[in-house]
Amino acid sequence: MPQWMRRQLQRAFFGKDVRQIRLLNSCWFLYLEKHGGRLE
């Protein structure tokens, strides 16, 4: 997972921002689909 996305997810979790967590989660799974499921 890119470092910038990790930071945003951490910020969303610490702030209990459910909307942001869901958005980032869906973006991450879309990223995985487009890149053949490779975890980085």
Side-chain angles (χ1 to χ4, degrees):
M1 179 181 293
Q3 187 64 34
W4 63 268
M5 185 171 270
R6 287 183 195 174
R7 282 195 305 267
Q8 286 197 9
L9 268 171
Q10 285 178 340
R11 202 173 305 142
F13 271 105
F14 292 147
K16 295 183 171 84
D17 186 350
V18 175
R19 187 184 62 81
Q20 183 76 359
I21 293 169
R22 286 185 181 145
L23 176 68
L24 289 167
N25 194 45
S26 63
C27 288
W28 174 240
F29 282 106
L30 181 65
Y31 175 88
L32 285 179
E33 280 181 14
K34 295 216 180 243
H35 291 86
R38 288 182 304 135
L39 294 175
E40 295 178 9

